[in-house]
Amino acid sequence: MKISVLGSTGVIGSLVLEIAEKEKIEVIGLSAGRNIKKLRKQVKKFSPQYISVKRKEDAEKIGKNILWGKEGLKTLATLKKADLIVIAVSGTAGILPTYEAVRAGKRIALANKESLVSAGAIIMEEARKNGAEIIPIDSEHNSLFQLFFYPERPEKVIITASGGPFLKGKPEKIRIEDVLSHPVWHMGQKITVDSATLMNKAFEIVEARWLFSLEPERISVLIHPQSIVHSIFKMKDGALIAHMSYPDMRIPIQYVLLYPKRGEPPSMTLDLTQVRKLEFYAASPEKFPALGIGYKMVSSPSSLSALINGANDEAVEAFLKKKLDFEGIIDVIINVSNKHRFYEPASIEEVYQLVNEGRQRAEKIIEGGK
Ligand SMILES: NC(=O)c1ccc[n+]([C@@H]2O[C@H](COP(=O)([O-])OP(=O)(O)OC[C@H]3O[C@@H](n4cnc5c(N)ncnc54)[C@H](OP(=O)(O)O)[C@@H]3O)[C@@H](O)[C@H]2O)c1
């Protein structure tokens, strides 16, 4: 088994390599952004044949035949010799490699959610045409992937949300440190902010639609602070079928790397006698406005999701640079999406244009323009 790992220096990429080492999986491609120090260590350990970084100057520093930029990502996403392409690049940089991997008919372990959020219709159509297979790493979707082996389709699927760091109330002034300390998951900065605003869950609603061809009205969200139940099928007769595991991303990552086999537990196994309580709360869009945005995205033509993805990227960056306060993130997204004319983008280039438009419009609002 040979894999190519895009986003190898990130939280998910590093866990993928940990499992690859444990399971003696050969790593033939590594792609990083700007964390060259970490990449060098990974290269030393795994001796991949293909290496890519974000910038040309970093490629030159590392050595000869090092790929870079979009072409680098494209090469790593389409390696003929790779049995599995892992896409753990964060943000909109993940759209292009996901698109190229499906066009090349690869089996893909997909962590990046922005690609399906922005370009779900196009990517799933290319996957179908080229016989590509997408196996989600995202814990809720990985869990749904496993539930979908059940012979009947559900009336509804429920994905759970931990509720983020402010479930029990927000401090008067929300600091970056408050937002970045997620109660359950250790994740990269961007997704941690998205989890606090619940935009992460809004994106996951859209991701579920595309991965499992679900009608928008069949997808709902439930707040579950313990993050032990990841997803639930609600059947026609009212029965609920849930998937549970200890909240550790090593579990879905190993599932995807070994699929269709299963390996020894990569982390703690869930001991139900030790779980003192499992709580569930309604996740109303009134209380969590990001969920309202999620339901609007999933039931609208895809141009809205691409636009919002760009706007959210810009707003999160501005928040991390202290140019925008926490509550401002959702306000900016609502403001950008209010003046949108909906349509179905016809190409990946159009998707990128929409993402950029979302970024630019958000930037203007953040800077106080119109
Ligand atoms: N963490 C989780 O628990 C989790 C769960 C479900 C889904 N996801 C999704 O998985 C993806 C990765 O999440 P993460 O938490 O691992 O994020 P992360 O720790 O921030 O890692 C992101 C990775 O992408 C690379 N990267 C970023 N921009 C790039 C660019 N323009 N070109 C090339 N490489 C680039 C980074 O490289 P450098 O660091 O070298 O710059 C890093 O390797 C995200 O889309 C996230 O939504 C994460």
Side-chain angles (χ1 to χ4, degrees):
M1 163 87 163
K2 295 182 170 72
I3 63 171
S4 173
V5 185
L6 287 78
S8 66
T9 45
V11 174
I12 295 291
S14 304
L15 292 176
V16 167
L17 294 182
E18 185 186 313
I19 302 287
E21 191 182 8
K22 174 173 94 70
E23 295 294 330
K24 302 192 174 36
I25 292 169
E26 191 181 343
V27 179
I28 61 167
L30 283 178
S31 145
R34 297 178 64 164
N35 191 345
I36 304 310
K37 200 173 159 198
K38 189 161 181 183
L39 177 67
R40 280 185 200 277
K41 284 189 190 156
Q42 295 178 341
V43 167
K44 207 170 164 198
K45 188 177 240 173
F46 293 96
S47 310
Q49 295 153 44
Y50 302 88
I51 301 165
S52 173
V53 290
K54 186 174 175 183
R55 303 184 308 171
K56 189 179 179 192
E57 55 268 41
D58 289 329
E60 285 163 356
K61 264 189 237 159
I62 297 178
K64 275 191 188 157
N65 300 327
I66 306 297
L67 305 163
W68 59 277
K70 285 186 183 156
E71 276 306 309
L73 283 173
K74 183 176 167 183
T75 305
L76 274 276
T78 54
L79 288 181
K80 278 214 172 71
K81 286 188 238 164
D83 303 301
L84 181 76
I85 308 290
V86 180
I87 302 190
V89 177
S90 58
T92 46
I95 302 173
L96 188 75
T98 308
Y99 175 71
E100 294 297 343
V102 289
R103 289 204 330 148
K106 305 301 294 184
R107 174 180 277 188
I108 301 153
L110 185 64
N112 177 277
K113 56 189 87 192
E114 290 82 352
S115 43
L116 286 183
V117 171
S118 300
I122 293 172
I123 287 173
M124 294 314 285
E125 174 59 13
E126 286 293 334
R128 195 191 54 75
K129 275 200 313 217
N130 297 294
E133 198 179 0
I134 300 179
I135 313 174
I137 284 182
D138 211 348
S139 56
E140 297 77 3
H141 304 79
N142 183 273
S143 153
L144 280 176
F145 184 85
Q146 298 186 46
L147 287 182
F148 266 104
F149 284 106
Y150 193 76
E152 268 173 71
R153 275 180 85 80
E155 283 265 297
K156 260 192 184 288
V157 305
I158 302 165
I159 53 176
T160 59
S162 71
F166 307 126
L167 185 61
K168 292 195 177 127
K170 290 178 185 160
E172 210 167 291
K173 176 97 187 96
I174 298 178
R175 298 165 308 158
I176 292 181
E177 306 86 273
D178 302 322
V179 173
L180 292 184
S181 58
H182 194 276
V184 184
W185 303 99
H186 165 59
M187 306 174 285
Q189 276 199 344
K190 196 238 166 202
I191 182 176
T192 307
V193 178
D194 287 347
S195 296
T197 58
L198 263 81
M199 276 311 290
N200 181 50
K201 210 48 58 179
F203 289 150
E204 287 180 3
I205 294 172
V206 183
E207 204 185 348
R209 168 195 183 179
W210 295 117
L211 280 168
F212 306 109
S213 307
L214 286 163
E215 294 87 351
E217 60 280 7
R218 288 192 198 268
I219 310 168
S220 62
V221 174
L222 204 53
I223 302 290
H224 168 46
Q226 291 80 17
S227 299
I228 281 176
V229 174
H230 304 296
S231 73
I232 303 170
F233 265 18
K234 184 172 186 202
M235 306 306 293
K236 191 176 172 188
D237 62 2
L240 300 180
I241 307 175
H243 174 264
M244 291 187 252
S245 72
Y246 186 74
D248 183 331
M249 286 307 292
R250 287 175 184 83
I251 298 173
I253 288 170
Q254 173 167 299
Y255 177 86
V256 177
L257 292 190
L258 301 186
Y259 175 79
K261 293 188 183 146
R262 284 184 190 261
E264 291 301 314
S267 123
M268 274 170 66
T269 3
L270 188 60
D271 177 354
L272 284 176
T273 64
Q274 298 295 313
V275 179
R276 270 177 277 155
K277 54 182 177 181
L278 292 177
E279 296 161 288
F280 298 93
Y281 304 103
S284 69
E286 290 74 39
K287 186 167 178 202
F288 303 103
L291 294 181
I293 299 173
Y295 291 124
K296 190 170 170 193
M297 282 193 288
V298 76
S299 48
S300 304
S302 307
S303 57
L304 182 68
S305 309
L307 187 88
I308 287 181
N309 206 348
N312 181 62
D313 258 13
E314 188 66 31
V316 170
E317 262 176 51
F319 167 71
L320 290 170
K321 288 180 185 156
K322 300 191 174 167
K323 288 188 193 165
L324 180 69
D325 61 26
F326 179 73
E327 310 285 356
I329 299 176
I330 296 293
D331 292 344
V332 166
I333 293 168
I334 292 174
N335 203 329
V336 168
S337 55
N338 274 347
K339 293 178 194 152
H340 180 59
R341 277 186 308 111
F342 302 94
Y343 63 97
E344 234 10 277
S347 66
I348 204 77
E349 290 75 22
E350 268 189 45
V351 168
Y352 268 108
Q353 276 166 16
L354 280 156
V355 171
N356 287 334
E357 187 187 327
R359 272 186 167 276
Q360 284 161 11
R361 280 166 57 180
E363 190 184 5
K364 261 195 185 167
I365 295 166
I366 294 163
E367 284 172 359
K370 275 281 146 197

